[in-house]
Amino acid sequence: LVECINGVLKGSRHLSIASLVKATYYRLAKVWTVKGKEIEALINRGQSWATDLVRKMQENMTNATSMRVHSFDRMNQTFDVVGPRRLNQAAHANVFRVDFRRRYCDCGAFQAWRYPCPHAVAACMSVGVDPYTYVDECFNLQRIVNIYRTEFPPIANSNYWPPVGNERWLPDPTLRRTPKGRPKSTRIHTSMDLHYREKGQRKRCTICRAE
């Protein structure tokens, strides 16, 4: 959506709000159609998961080959995975617990990204389970293509738009940028300034005593 808005703004810098909304709407509809065709092409090729996910999973499988499963509990689906130890790393800092029931890993990547991290992949490989079993369905291309099948109906002419019954929003004058010219004084006024103002006296120069 942000890319669509930026593309519209680059095309024309003198659009009204209604024209900007309409141009963004049609640009988004075009992008939606192109993305939907790309996902359908991947499905026709026999691909089941998103391309970025497949690339990440391949990286995790490569990193998992350098890890070993120290101990595991098949009944509770809990594993202790030992990764490569780094220089100056504390003892047992490279041991991570993986819980497939909660889809949890101590590294935090499993529950954050919703697909198995390298530690979870190593645990799957140790017991002969496909790591894609624990990938969230949001990465499934069938789910994704259903999103891009959403239709964008044409926008009616602005003369047929329903009237707006909400309160009218006015701009906040305090958010305006400072105009060019002499900057506004930020000096804190003292009691002497108030004294001159009360007596109606005008300020004079301390050198020439002119007003």
Side-chain angles (χ1 to χ4, degrees), residues 116-180:
C117 60
H119 312 102
V121 172
C124 289
M125 294 171 61
S126 65
V127 293
V129 177
D130 187 7
Y132 284 91
T133 306
Y134 298 98
V135 175
D136 195 277
E137 286 296 324
C138 65
F139 298 101
N140 193 298
L141 291 182
Q142 291 293 343
R143 290 286 188 92
I144 299 175
V145 77
N146 290 335
I147 297 175
Y148 287 113
R149 283 174 179 169
T150 303
E151 296 182 356
F152 287 79
I155 300 178
N157 189 283
S158 58
N159 296 328
Y160 296 95
W161 290 4
V164 180
N166 300 331
E167 296 181 0
R168 189 174 182 181
W169 288 52
L170 299 177
D172 189 356
T174 60
L175 299 178
R176 293 184 58 186
R177 295 182 179 179
T178 304
K180 296 181 179 180

Coordinates of all heavy atoms in Angstrom, one line a residue, residues 116-180:
P116 N 10.0 -23.3 11.5 CA 11.1 -23.8 12.3 C 12.4 -23.1 12.2 O 12.9 -22.8 11.0 CB 11.2 -25.3 11.9 CG 9.8 -25.6 11.3 CD 9.4 -24.3 10.7
C117 N 13.1 -22.8 13.3 CA 14.4 -22.2 13.3 C 15.4 -23.3 13.0 O 15.1 -24.5 13.0 CB 14.7 -21.5 14.6 SG 14.6 -22.6 16.0
P118 N 16.7 -23.1 12.9 CA 17.7 -24.1 12.7 C 17.7 -25.2 13.8 O 17.9 -26.4 13.5 CB 19.0 -23.4 12.6 CG 18.7 -22.0 12.1 CD 17.3 -21.7 12.7
H119 N 17.4 -24.8 15.0 CA 17.4 -25.7 16.1 C 16.2 -26.7 16.0 O 16.3 -27.9 16.2 CB 17.4 -25.0 17.5 CG 18.4 -23.9 17.6 ND1 18.1 -22.6 17.4 CD2 19.7 -23.9 17.8 CE1 19.1 -21.8 17.6 NE2 20.2 -22.6 17.8
A120 N 15.1 -26.1 15.6 CA 13.9 -27.0 15.4 C 14.1 -27.9 14.2 O 13.6 -29.0 14.2 CB 12.6 -26.1 15.3
V121 N 14.7 -27.4 13.2 CA 15.0 -28.2 12.0 C 15.9 -29.4 12.4 O 15.7 -30.5 11.9 CB 15.6 -27.4 10.9 CG1 16.0 -28.2 9.7 CG2 14.5 -26.4 10.4
A122 N 16.9 -29.1 13.2 CA 17.8 -30.2 13.6 C 17.1 -31.2 14.4 O 17.3 -32.4 14.3 CB 19.0 -29.6 14.5
A123 N 16.1 -30.8 15.3 CA 15.4 -31.8 16.0 C 14.5 -32.6 15.1 O 14.3 -33.8 15.3 CB 14.5 -31.0 17.1
C124 N 13.9 -32.0 14.1 CA 13.1 -32.7 13.1 C 13.9 -33.7 12.4 O 13.5 -34.9 12.2 CB 12.4 -31.7 12.2 SG 11.1 -30.7 12.9
M125 N 15.1 -33.3 12.0 CA 15.9 -34.3 11.2 C 16.4 -35.4 12.0 O 16.6 -36.5 11.5 CB 17.1 -33.5 10.6 CG 16.8 -32.4 9.6 SD 18.1 -31.3 9.2 CE 19.3 -32.5 8.5
S126 N 16.5 -35.2 13.4 CA 17.0 -36.3 14.2 C 16.0 -37.4 14.4 O 16.3 -38.6 14.7 CB 17.4 -35.7 15.6 OG 16.2 -35.2 16.3
V127 N 14.7 -37.1 14.3 CA 13.6 -38.1 14.4 C 12.9 -38.4 13.1 O 11.9 -39.1 13.1 CB 12.6 -37.6 15.4 CG1 13.2 -37.5 16.8 CG2 12.0 -36.2 15.0
G128 N 13.4 -37.8 12.0 CA 12.9 -38.1 10.7 C 11.5 -37.5 10.4 O 10.7 -38.1 9.7
V129 N 11.3 -36.3 10.9 CA 10.0 -35.6 10.6 C 10.3 -34.5 9.7 O 11.3 -33.8 9.7 CB 9.5 -35.0 12.0 CG1 8.2 -34.2 11.7 CG2 9.2 -36.2 12.9
D130 N 9.4 -34.2 8.7 CA 9.5 -33.2 7.8 C 9.4 -31.8 8.5 O 8.4 -31.6 9.2 CB 8.4 -33.3 6.7 CG 8.6 -32.3 5.6 OD1 9.6 -31.6 5.6 OD2 7.7 -32.2 4.7
P131 N 10.4 -30.9 8.4 CA 10.3 -29.6 9.1 C 9.1 -28.8 8.6 O 8.6 -28.0 9.4 CB 11.6 -29.0 8.8 CG 12.5 -30.1 8.4 CD 11.7 -31.1 7.7
Y132 N 8.6 -29.0 7.4 CA 7.5 -28.2 6.9 C 6.2 -28.5 7.6 O 5.2 -27.8 7.5 CB 7.4 -28.4 5.4 CG 8.4 -27.6 4.6 CD1 9.6 -28.3 4.2 CD2 8.2 -26.3 4.2 CE1 10.5 -27.6 3.4 CE2 9.1 -25.7 3.4 CZ 10.3 -26.3 3.0 OH 11.2 -25.6 2.3
T133 N 6.2 -29.6 8.4 CA 5.0 -29.9 9.2 C 4.7 -28.8 10.2 O 3.5 -28.6 10.5 CB 5.3 -31.3 9.9 OG1 5.6 -32.3 9.0 CG2 4.0 -31.7 10.7
Y134 N 5.7 -28.1 10.7 CA 5.5 -27.1 11.7 C 5.6 -25.7 11.1 O 5.7 -24.7 11.9 CB 6.6 -27.3 12.8 CG 6.5 -28.6 13.5 CD1 7.3 -29.7 13.2 CD2 5.5 -28.8 14.5 CE1 7.2 -30.9 13.8 CE2 5.4 -30.0 15.1 CZ 6.2 -31.1 14.8 OH 6.1 -32.3 15.4
V135 N 5.4 -25.6 9.8 CA 5.4 -24.2 9.2 C 3.9 -23.7 9.3 O 3.0 -24.5 9.0 CB 5.8 -24.3 7.7 CG1 5.6 -22.9 7.1 CG2 7.3 -24.7 7.7
D136 N 3.7 -22.5 9.7 CA 2.4 -21.9 9.8 C 1.7 -21.9 8.4 O 2.4 -21.7 7.4 CB 2.5 -20.5 10.4 CG 1.1 -20.0 10.9 OD1 0.3 -19.5 10.0 OD2 0.8 -20.2 12.1
E137 N 0.4 -22.0 8.4 CA -0.4 -22.1 7.2 C -0.4 -20.7 6.5 O -0.8 -20.7 5.3 CB -1.8 -22.5 7.5 CG -1.9 -24.0 7.8 CD -1.5 -24.9 6.6 OE1 -1.8 -24.5 5.4 OE2 -0.9 -25.9 6.8
C138 N 0.0 -19.6 7.1 CA 0.0 -18.3 6.5 C 1.0 -18.3 5.3 O 0.9 -17.4 4.4 CB 0.3 -17.2 7.5 SG 1.9 -17.3 8.2
F139 N 2.0 -19.2 5.3 CA 3.0 -19.3 4.2 C 2.5 -20.2 3.1 O 3.2 -20.3 2.1 CB 4.3 -19.8 4.7 CG 4.9 -18.8 5.8 CD1 4.8 -19.2 7.1 CD2 5.6 -17.7 5.4 CE1 5.4 -18.3 8.1 CE2 6.1 -16.8 6.3 CZ 6.1 -17.1 7.6
N140 N 1.4 -20.8 3.2 CA 0.9 -21.7 2.2 C 0.4 -20.9 1.0 O -0.4 -20.0 1.1 CB -0.2 -22.6 2.7 CG -0.6 -23.8 1.8 OD1 -1.0 -23.5 0.7 ND2 -0.4 -25.0 2.3
L141 N 0.8 -21.3 -0.2 CA 0.4 -20.5 -1.4 C -1.1 -20.6 -1.7 O -1.7 -19.6 -2.2 CB 1.1 -21.1 -2.6 CG 2.6 -20.8 -2.6 CD1 3.2 -21.3 -3.9 CD2 3.0 -19.4 -2.5
Q142 N -1.8 -21.6 -1.3 CA -3.2 -21.7 -1.4 C -3.9 -20.6 -0.6 O -4.9 -20.0 -1.0 CB -3.8 -23.1 -1.1 CG -3.4 -24.2 -2.1 CD -4.0 -24.0 -3.4 OE1 -5.0 -23.3 -3.6 NE2 -3.5 -24.6 -4.4
R143 N -3.4 -20.4 0.6 CA -4.0 -19.4 1.5 C -3.7 -18.0 0.9 O -4.5 -17.1 0.9 CB -3.3 -19.5 2.9 CG -3.8 -20.7 3.7 CD -5.2 -20.5 4.2 NE -5.7 -21.5 5.1 CZ -5.5 -21.4 6.4 NH1 -5.0 -20.4 7.0 NH2 -5.9 -22.4 7.2
I144 N -2.4 -17.8 0.4 CA -2.0 -16.5 -0.1 C -2.8 -16.2 -1.4 O -3.3 -15.0 -1.6 CB -0.5 -16.5 -0.4 CG1 0.3 -16.8 0.9 CG2 -0.1 -15.2 -1.1 CD1 1.8 -16.9 0.7
V145 N -3.1 -17.1 -2.3 CA -3.8 -16.8 -3.5 C -5.2 -16.5 -3.2 O -5.8 -15.7 -4.0 CB -3.7 -18.0 -4.5 CG1 -4.6 -19.1 -4.1 CG2 -3.9 -17.6 -5.9
N146 N -5.8 -17.0 -2.1 CA -7.2 -16.6 -1.8 C -7.2 -15.1 -1.4 O -8.3 -14.5 -1.6 CB -7.7 -17.5 -0.6 CG -7.9 -18.9 -1.1 OD1 -8.2 -19.2 -2.3 ND2 -7.8 -19.9 -0.2
I147 N -6.2 -14.6 -0.8 CA -6.1 -13.2 -0.5 C -6.1 -12.3 -1.7 O -6.8 -11.3 -1.8 CB -4.9 -12.9 0.4 CG1 -5.0 -13.7 1.7 CG2 -4.8 -11.4 0.7 CD1 -3.8 -13.6 2.6
Y148 N -5.3 -12.7 -2.7 CA -5.2 -11.9 -3.9 C -6.4 -12.1 -4.8 O -6.4 -11.4 -5.9 CB -3.9 -12.3 -4.6 CG -2.7 -11.7 -3.9 CD1 -1.7 -12.6 -3.3 CD2 -2.4 -10.3 -3.9 CE1 -0.6 -12.0 -2.7 CE2 -1.3 -9.8 -3.2 CZ -0.4 -10.7 -2.6 OH 0.7 -10.2 -2.0
R149 N -7.3 -13.0 -4.5 CA -8.5 -13.1 -5.4 C -9.5 -12.1 -5.0 O -10.6 -12.1 -5.6 CB -9.0 -14.5 -5.2 CG -8.2 -15.6 -6.0 CD -8.7 -17.0 -5.7 NE -8.0 -18.0 -6.5 CZ -8.0 -19.3 -6.3 NH1 -8.8 -19.8 -5.4 NH2 -7.3 -20.1 -7.1
T150 N -9.3 -11.3 -4.0 CA -10.2 -10.3 -3.6 C -10.4 -9.3 -4.8 O -9.4 -8.8 -5.3 CB -9.7 -9.5 -2.4 OG1 -9.5 -10.5 -1.3 CG2 -10.8 -8.5 -1.9
E151 N -11.7 -9.0 -5.1 CA -11.9 -8.1 -6.3 C -12.0 -6.6 -5.8 O -12.5 -6.4 -4.7 CB -13.2 -8.5 -6.9 CG -13.2 -9.9 -7.6 CD -14.5 -10.3 -8.3 OE1 -15.4 -9.4 -8.2 OE2 -14.5 -11.3 -8.9
F152 N -11.6 -5.7 -6.7 CA -11.7 -4.3 -6.4 C -12.8 -3.7 -7.4 O -12.5 -3.5 -8.6 CB -10.4 -3.6 -6.7 CG -9.4 -3.9 -5.6 CD1 -8.7 -5.1 -5.6 CD2 -9.1 -3.0 -4.6 CE1 -7.7 -5.4 -4.6 CE2 -8.2 -3.2 -3.6 CZ -7.5 -4.4 -3.6
P153 N -14.0 -3.5 -7.0 CA -15.0 -2.9 -7.9 C -14.7 -1.5 -8.2 O -14.0 -0.8 -7.5 CB -16.3 -3.0 -7.0 CG -15.8 -3.0 -5.6 CD -14.5 -3.7 -5.6
P154 N -15.1 -1.0 -9.4 CA -14.8 0.3 -9.8 C -15.4 1.4 -8.9 O -16.5 1.1 -8.3 CB -15.4 0.4 -11.3 CG -15.5 -1.0 -11.7 CD -15.8 -1.8 -10.5
I155 N -14.8 2.5 -8.7 CA -15.3 3.6 -7.9 C -16.3 4.4 -8.7 O -16.0 4.8 -9.8 CB -14.1 4.4 -7.4 CG1 -13.2 3.6 -6.6 CG2 -14.7 5.6 -6.5 CD1 -12.0 4.4 -6.0
A156 N -17.4 4.7 -8.1 CA -18.4 5.5 -8.8 C -18.0 6.9 -8.9 O -17.0 7.4 -8.2 CB -19.7 5.4 -8.0
N157 N -18.6 7.7 -9.8 CA -18.3 9.1 -9.9 C -18.5 9.8 -8.6 O -19.4 9.5 -7.8 CB -19.2 9.7 -11.0 CG -18.8 11.1 -11.4 OD1 -19.1 12.0 -10.7 ND2 -18.1 11.2 -12.5
S158 N -17.7 10.8 -8.3 CA -17.8 11.5 -7.1 C -19.1 12.2 -6.9 O -19.5 12.5 -5.7 CB -16.7 12.6 -7.0 OG -16.7 13.5 -8.1
N159 N -19.9 12.5 -7.9 CA -21.2 13.1 -7.8 C -22.2 12.1 -7.1 O -23.2 12.6 -6.6 CB -21.8 13.5 -9.1 CG -20.9 14.6 -9.8 OD1 -20.3 15.4 -9.0 ND2 -20.8 14.7 -11.1
Y160 N -21.9 10.8 -7.2 CA -22.8 9.8 -6.6 C -22.3 9.3 -5.2 O -22.9 8.4 -4.7 CB -23.0 8.7 -7.6 CG -23.6 9.0 -8.9 CD1 -22.8 9.4 -10.0 CD2 -25.0 9.1 -9.0 CE1 -23.4 9.7 -11.2 CE2 -25.6 9.5 -10.2 CZ -24.8 9.8 -11.3 OH -25.3 10.1 -12.5
W161 N -21.3 9.9 -4.7 CA -20.8 9.5 -3.4 C -21.8 9.9 -2.3 O -22.4 11.0 -2.4 CB -19.4 10.1 -3.1 CG -18.3 9.6 -4.0 CD1 -18.5 8.7 -5.0 CD2 -17.0 9.9 -3.9 NE1 -17.2 8.4 -5.5 CE2 -16.3 9.1 -4.9 CE3 -16.2 10.7 -3.1 CZ2 -14.9 9.2 -5.1 CZ3 -14.8 10.8 -3.2 CH2 -14.2 10.1 -4.2
P162 N -22.0 9.1 -1.3 CA -22.9 9.5 -0.2 C -22.4 10.7 0.5 O -21.1 10.9 0.7 CB -23.0 8.2 0.6 CG -21.7 7.5 0.4 CD -21.4 7.8 -1.1
P163 N -23.2 11.5 1.0 CA -22.7 12.7 1.8 C -22.1 12.3 3.1 O -22.5 11.3 3.7 CB -24.0 13.5 2.1 CG -25.1 12.5 2.0 CD -24.7 11.5 0.9
V164 N -21.1 13.1 3.5 CA -20.4 12.8 4.8 C -21.1 13.5 5.9 O -21.4 14.7 5.9 CB -18.9 13.3 4.7 CG1 -18.2 13.0 6.0 CG2 -18.2 12.7 3.5
G165 N -21.5 12.7 6.9 CA -22.2 13.2 8.0 C -21.4 13.4 9.3 O -21.9 13.8 10.3
N166 N -20.1 13.1 9.2 CA -19.3 13.2 10.4 C -18.9 14.7 10.6 O -19.1 15.6 9.8 CB -18.0 12.3 10.2 CG -18.4 10.9 10.1 OD1 -19.4 10.4 10.6 ND2 -17.5 10.1 9.4
E167 N -18.2 14.9 11.7 CA -17.7 16.2 12.0 C -16.6 16.6 11.1 O -15.8 15.8 10.6 CB -17.2 16.3 13.5 CG -18.3 16.1 14.5 CD -17.8 16.2 15.9 OE1 -16.6 16.4 16.1 OE2 -18.6 16.0 16.9
R168 N -16.5 17.9 10.8 CA -15.5 18.4 9.8 C -14.2 18.6 10.6 O -14.2 19.2 11.7 CB -16.0 19.7 9.2 CG -15.0 20.1 8.1 CD -15.6 21.3 7.4 NE -14.8 21.7 6.3 CZ -15.0 22.8 5.5 NH1 -16.1 23.5 5.7 NH2 -14.2 23.1 4.5
W169 N -13.1 18.0 10.1 CA -11.8 18.2 10.7 C -11.1 19.4 10.2 O -11.1 19.6 8.9 CB -11.0 16.9 10.4 CG -11.5 15.7 11.1 CD1 -12.7 15.2 11.2 CD2 -10.7 14.8 12.0 NE1 -12.8 14.1 12.0 CE2 -11.6 13.8 12.5 CE3 -9.4 14.8 12.3 CZ2 -11.1 12.8 13.3 CZ3 -8.9 13.8 13.2 CH2 -9.8 12.8 13.6
L170 N -10.6 20.2 11.1 CA -9.8 21.4 10.7 C -8.4 21.2 11.0 O -8.0 20.5 12.0 CB -10.4 22.6 11.4 CG -11.9 22.9 11.2 CD1 -12.3 24.1 12.0 CD2 -12.1 23.3 9.7
P171 N -7.5 21.8 10.2 CA -6.1 21.7 10.5 C -5.7 22.4 11.8 O -6.3 23.4 12.2 CB -5.4 22.3 9.3 CG -6.4 23.3 8.8 CD -7.7 22.6 9.1
D172 N -4.7 21.8 12.5 CA -4.2 22.4 13.7 C -3.1 23.4 13.4 O -2.1 23.1 12.8 CB -3.5 21.3 14.6 CG -3.2 21.7 15.9 OD1 -3.3 22.9 16.2 OD2 -2.7 20.9 16.8
P173 N -3.4 24.7 13.7 CA -2.4 25.8 13.3 C -1.0 25.6 14.1 O 0.0 26.1 13.6 CB -3.1 27.1 13.7 CG -4.1 26.6 14.8 CD -4.5 25.3 14.4
T174 N -1.0 24.9 15.2 CA 0.2 24.8 15.9 C 1.2 23.8 15.2 O 2.4 23.8 15.6 CB -0.1 24.3 17.3 OG1 -0.7 23.0 17.3 CG2 -0.9 25.2 18.1
L175 N 0.7 23.0 14.3 CA 1.5 22.1 13.6 C 2.1 22.6 12.3 O 2.9 21.9 11.6 CB 0.7 20.8 13.2 CG 0.2 20.0 14.4 CD1 -0.6 18.8 13.9 CD2 1.3 19.5 15.3
R176 N 1.9 23.9 12.0 CA 2.4 24.5 10.8 C 3.9 24.8 11.0 O 4.4 25.0 12.1 CB 1.7 25.9 10.6 CG 0.3 25.8 10.2 CD -0.3 27.1 9.8 NE 0.5 27.8 8.8 CZ 0.3 29.0 8.4 NH1 -0.7 29.8 9.0 NH2 1.0 29.6 7.4
R177 N 4.6 24.7 9.9 CA 6.0 25.0 9.9 C 6.3 26.5 10.2 O 5.5 27.4 9.8 CB 6.7 24.6 8.6 CG 6.7 23.1 8.3 CD 7.4 22.8 7.0 NE 7.4 21.4 6.8 CZ 7.9 20.8 5.7 NH1 8.5 21.6 4.8 NH2 7.9 19.5 5.5
T178 N 7.4 26.8 10.8 CA 7.8 28.2 11.1 C 8.1 28.9 9.8 O 8.9 28.5 9.0 CB 9.0 28.2 12.0 OG1 8.8 27.5 13.1 CG2 9.4 29.7 12.3
P179 N 7.4 30.0 9.5 CA 7.6 30.7 8.2 C 9.0 31.3 8.2 O 9.6 31.6 9.2 CB 6.5 31.8 8.3 CG 6.2 32.0 9.7 CD 6.4 30.7 10.3
K180 N 9.4 31.6 6.9 CA 10.7 32.2 6.7 C 10.7 33.7 7.2 O 9.7 34.3 7.3 CB 11.1 32.2 5.3 CG 11.2 30.8 4.7 CD 11.6 30.8 3.2 CE 11.8 29.4 2.7 NZ 12.2 29.4 1.3

